[in-house]
Amino acid sequence: MKFANKMKVFDLNIFSKLEEKRAELLRRGMEVINLSVGTPDFRPDDHVIAALKEAAGIADNFKYSLADIPELIQAVIAWYGRRYGVSLEPRQVMSVYGTQEGMAHVALPICNPGDLVIAPDPCYPVFMFGPRMAEAEIYYTPLKKENNFLIDFDSIPEDVARRAKMIVVSYPNNPVTAVADYAFYEKLVSWAKKYGVIVIHDNAYSELVMDSEPGMSFLAVPGAMDVGIEFNSLSKSYNLTGLRISFAMGNTEIIRNFRCLRSQIDYGISFPVQKAAIAALNGPQDILERNRKGYRERRDALCGGLRSIGWDVPDSPGTMFVWAPLPKGYEKSWEFALELMDKTGVICTPGESFGPAGEGFVRLALVADMPTIERAVCLIRESGMIR
């Protein structure tokens, strides 16, 4: 079948494989500490939960929403103005069912079959999955440790830059946890203008910069609106992963075409979710600092704890993850992850699942409380795997 042959290029989601392994460990009666999936265990604010409950108690809110309500768009515009100093118009903003869904579909109204998309390596899998669904070709630009895991635009071959239709960028970065500064985004905008490349920036972790000021918006750079759009999610910032609410913002033409595409495949974010998002954006914002503090404490406990037992894991500058080079004596991330699960019950994500340049690393999510993280370090120490 043509469909089956086409789908061979997409492997089973890595988290499905890890979930199968987790179930096996539980059947064996093992203690399991799952640090693979980045779903926050911090609770949402009470006023957001209350807004969701109230909206869910209104029968009319169970109808198709068909569009973003004006109150939601205004909340996003006001938040972006306060938080990033970015001015947006309603036609430049639209909701999506989480950034994952948005990234999966955004290439469809941009790319024709055979167009070239530049994606980082390693990268979150949907960054390449979306363009491949649009039958685009992908050029992977490596994120190297010696370059602080930032895209090196000078290393992208001239013929690739001139042919490229779109580039996917994301900082703070999942999985490598790197943070980009203003100078990087200035160079990105200048490079994109020079070669006529559309920029798609995932800004899901701007509120989780650990040791300096919270992250910035790509759209705050002069000229950014001319070349691209940005996704920004409420999932990690406000602990709302299950509600699936994110926003695409920026270039008017890109947003118009994207909105047209999505009008054919969904009927809009549900009204109760929209009301919850409005409450989060317009309400007290101290949750953002609480989350940063909580993840920073967990990062220090995990990275510091692993270093204390001989695993040289650097502190993550951003996101809710740790990007850990394999300990001495290991070369393959999947083999190490399997051994770690079998000997300790600690589940991490092998770096190779994020692309060839991810080999030699594993990603750990800061999604367990302090006693559990300390327990994970203890189990790893007792396993004898760190030599």
Side-chain angles (χ1 to χ4, degrees), residues 14 40 72 84 134 158 164 171 184 196 208 220 226 228 233 249 282 323 350:
I14 182 63
L72 176 64
Y84 303 116
E158 184 80 10
Y171 292 100
F184 170 85
L208 294 179
D226 298 330
S233 171
M249 293 147 292
N282 288 345
W323 188 239

Side-chain angles (χ1 to χ4, degrees), residues 328-351:
K328 294 177 183 178
Y330 295 92
E331 296 181 355
K332 299 295 183 181
S333 60
W334 182 247
E335 292 175 4
F336 170 78
L338 287 175
E339 184 176 342
L340 186 71
M341 284 188 278
D342 284 328
K343 290 186 175 180
T344 72
V346 176
I347 305 177
C348 63
T349 307

Side-chain angles (χ1 to χ4, degrees), residues 114-116 137 158-166 195 197:
D115 280 345
L116 185 66
E137 297 178 21
E158 184 80 10
D159 62 322
V160 170
R162 292 194 179 282
R163 187 184 159 206
K165 185 73 170 290
M166 182 177 108
Y195 293 105
V197 180

Side-chain angles (χ1 to χ4, degrees), residues 37-231:
V37 180
T39 183
D41 60 317
F42 297 132
R43 67 175 275 121
D45 275 341
D46 288 340
H47 68 275
V48 177
I49 297 174
L52 181 68
K53 287 181 176 179
E54 181 181 356
I58 300 172
D60 275 354
N61 283 344
F62 288 84
K63 297 177 181 179
Y64 291 133
S65 63
L66 298 179
D68 299 321
I69 59 177
E71 186 183 0
L72 176 64
I73 297 302
Q74 288 304 319
V76 175
I77 290 172
W79 193 91
Y80 249 66
R82 294 191 307 268
R83 174 62 183 82
Y84 303 116
V86 172
S87 297
L88 293 164
E89 300 176 11
R91 61 180 181 163
Q92 294 176 303
V93 182
M94 60 179 286
S95 69
V96 292
Y97 285 106
T99 297
Q100 174 122 345
E101 181 268 310
M103 293 295 299
H105 290 131
V106 71
L108 293 173
I110 293 174
C111 298
N112 293 313
D115 280 345
L116 185 66
V117 172
I118 299 175
D121 177 19
C123 72
Y124 195 65
V126 77
F127 291 179
M128 63 82 182
F129 181 87
R132 287 169 73 179
M133 285 203 301
E135 298 187 58
E137 297 178 21
I138 301 180
Y139 174 86
Y140 293 100
T141 185
L143 304 182
K144 297 181 178 180
K145 181 180 179 181
E146 57 266 30
N147 196 40
N148 296 317
F149 296 109
L150 297 176
I151 294 173
D152 179 4
F153 298 103
D154 294 334
S155 72
I156 298 174
E158 184 80 10
D159 62 322
V160 170
R162 292 194 179 282
R163 187 184 159 206
K165 185 73 170 290
M166 182 177 108
I167 185 170
V168 180
V169 182
S170 178
Y171 292 100
N173 184 279
N174 173 20
V176 302
T177 76
V179 176
D181 60 12
Y182 191 88
F184 170 85
Y185 290 110
E186 283 185 314
K187 190 162 189 178
L188 168 61
V189 171
S190 175
W191 178 90
K193 285 194 170 187
K194 177 180 178 180
Y195 293 105
V197 180
I198 292 171
V199 176
I200 305 297
H201 183 243
D202 176 12
N203 200 22
Y205 299 96
S206 68
E207 306 313 299
L208 294 179
V209 175
M210 298 293 192
D211 300 313
S212 58
E213 292 298 315
M216 59 170 288
S217 168
F218 150 72
L219 297 176
V221 176
M225 294 279 191
D226 298 330
V227 297
I229 66 169
E230 176 168 278
F231 287 97

